[in-house]
Amino acid sequence: MKQNWFMVFPCRPGVGMALRLLLLLAFLFFGSSVCWAAESEKLTEIMAGLTPGGWRMYEEVRRYQAEDLYEKIDGAAELYLSYDVVRLTLAGFENKKDEETFIELFVYDMGTATNAFGIFSVERMNGTPLDLGRAAYRSGAHCFIWKGRYYIKIIVSPETEAVKQIGLRMAKGIASALSNAGEPVWGLIHLPLSNLIPDSIKYFKVDAGGLDFMTNTYTARYRKYGSVINVFLSGQDSVRAAGEVKERYREYALKYGKGARNQSREGMTFVLCDMKNTFDVVFQKGRLVGGVSAVPHQALAVQAAMDLWRQLPHQD
């Protein structure tokens, strides 16, 4: 039989609901703290256990909470904070015979798989794909991995072949040890795969395209109709919120472009934005706001937006 949360804390007659809530909050707080401590200790053991033969850890495994992140990555901390980073766990290793040869292992707990994919996607560089986690690649001798709610970096120096191979073995070890926490990432499900340029999908939790009203937004690039098409897709909490985003986009086009016109075609209602030298199209479909941007020809912009609109589910 399912147990009601309040049955965990039976109260004598006369004890109010407020006390029950207080006890429940205390239970949740201390319970989560215990779970975090156990998880943190496990991750520390995993990372220490990856020490290569002939190497040593040059410091203990270090942990940085979100508010302390600037101590290690000052200048980049704001980007991680915009994706609601929870903590960074960091281990450093050095060759016993040459302290100038070292590897740093960064494990960012981003809280959710979506946040982890987001920071992985916006920091993505050109590199060689790796069959690790949900997505991974090697750039030079460094490895970058997304797995579940984790974003992992392995930075090596110098970038010799020998050190690169040690870093790659470490990447395989940490990727296999961490849980996948496999909740779906909705943008990767809804964005069409046909004609998608590989590795072009990015997720912006805030400020997509530099627009403060574009939150929870995926962007991608497609090669079609002889051009590269920039697509965006934003998921909002309600139909009303989605409508407000669409209206804000129209206002943005009126302010910074040459004009914006409401149009309809084959069942799709959209805003055609003349951005002086290119065209944007934005539409709403339930709680989704989608469209294309910076397309050189008006007819092409409308056609590409319609292609996207047709393939999206209606989310009430």
Side-chain angles (χ1 to χ4, degrees):
M1 182 180 72
K2 265 189 178 178
Q3 187 178 40
N4 187 292
W5 274 110
F6 290 110
M7 292 176 65
V8 177
F9 304 105
C11 296
R12 299 189 310 274
V15 176
M17 182 65 73
L19 178 56
R20 293 190 182 197
L21 287 172
L22 182 62
L23 290 170
L24 174 57
L25 289 172
F27 174 80
L28 293 174
F29 174 78
F30 289 111
S32 62
S33 297
V34 170
C35 289
W36 175 84
E39 178 185 307
S40 180
E41 186 63 31
K42 180 181 178 182
L43 182 56
T44 297
E45 292 176 4
I46 290 171
M47 295 173 73
L50 295 173
T51 307
W55 291 57
R56 64 189 168 211
M57 296 182 65
Y58 55 77
E59 288 183 346
E60 293 183 352
V61 174
R62 287 160 286 166
R63 289 180 288 274
Y64 300 86
Q65 298 299 101
E67 61 270 20
D68 305 320
L69 202 58
Y70 71 92
E71 295 178 12
K72 179 59 185 176
I73 57 169
D74 191 19
E78 287 300 320
L79 176 61
Y80 284 79
L81 290 171
S82 73
Y83 284 93
D84 295 338
V85 61
V86 177
R87 68 185 64 89
L88 162 65
T89 305
L90 171 65
F93 309 86
E94 64 185 9
N95 190 302
K96 291 179 179 180
K97 296 181 179 180
D98 180 9
E99 294 181 359
E100 297 301 313
T101 299
F102 66 89
I103 297 175
E104 285 194 315
L105 170 58
F106 298 75
V107 179
Y108 291 92
D109 183 344
M110 302 302 299
T112 69
T114 298
N115 292 343
F117 169 74
I119 193 68
F120 172 84
S121 69
V122 299
E123 286 200 337
R124 190 197 299 265
M125 298 177 284
N126 293 328
T128 303
L130 297 173
D131 187 18
L132 299 173
R134 292 204 202 177
Y137 65 95
R138 187 177 69 228
S139 180
H142 314 306
C143 296
F144 304 85
I145 307 164
W146 164 45
K147 185 173 184 181
R149 70 177 191 267
Y150 298 106
Y151 174 46
I152 305 157
K153 290 183 179 181
I154 297 172
I155 307 300
V156 310
S157 181
E159 296 184 40
T160 63
E161 184 63 27
V163 182
K164 180 172 74 173
Q165 291 303 318
I166 293 173
L168 184 57
R169 288 196 294 272
M170 189 175 290
K172 293 177 180 177
I174 191 67
S176 64
L178 293 178
S179 63
N180 189 31
E183 69 266 20
V185 175
W186 69 266
L188 300 183
I189 297 171
H190 291 322
L191 282 169
L193 297 179
S194 178
N195 301 308
L196 174 68
I197 296 176
D199 302 327
S200 69
I201 299 178
K202 298 181 185 298
Y203 170 68
F204 297 89
K205 199 174 183 72
V206 296
D207 299 338
L211 304 177
D212 61 3
F213 56 87
M214 292 298 291
T215 59
N216 195 28
T217 302
Y218 292 81
T219 64
R221 291 182 296 132
Y222 292 82
R223 198 177 304 279
K224 56 195 310 184
Y225 307 120
S227 296
V228 173
I229 306 295
N230 302 302
V231 162
F232 60 88
L233 184 62
S234 174
Q236 298 299 309
D237 292 334
S238 67
V239 172
R240 178 178 178 179
E244 291 172 352
V245 169
K246 180 183 173 185
E247 177 59 22
R248 290 282 303 277
Y249 205 110
R250 189 186 71 84
E251 293 171 356
Y252 154 75
L254 288 172
K255 183 175 182 179
Y256 295 102
K258 292 177 65 176
R261 304 191 305 274
N262 293 321
Q263 295 192 3
S264 295
R265 185 174 299 181
E266 298 179 24
M268 181 180 82
T269 300
F270 58 94
V271 180
L272 175 63
C273 308
D274 185 341
M275 304 307 294
K276 298 180 181 178
N277 295 316
T278 60
F279 295 88
D280 294 5
V281 173
V282 58
F283 61 79
Q284 177 184 357
K285 197 168 188 178
R287 290 186 290 109
L288 298 178
V289 179
V292 299
S293 64
V295 181
H297 304 292
Q298 176 178 316
L300 179 58
V302 173
Q303 184 60 56
M306 290 186 67
D307 290 347
L308 176 62
W309 178 81
R310 291 190 187 101
Q311 296 180 69
L312 293 175
H314 187 93
Q315 296 197 348
D316 296 321

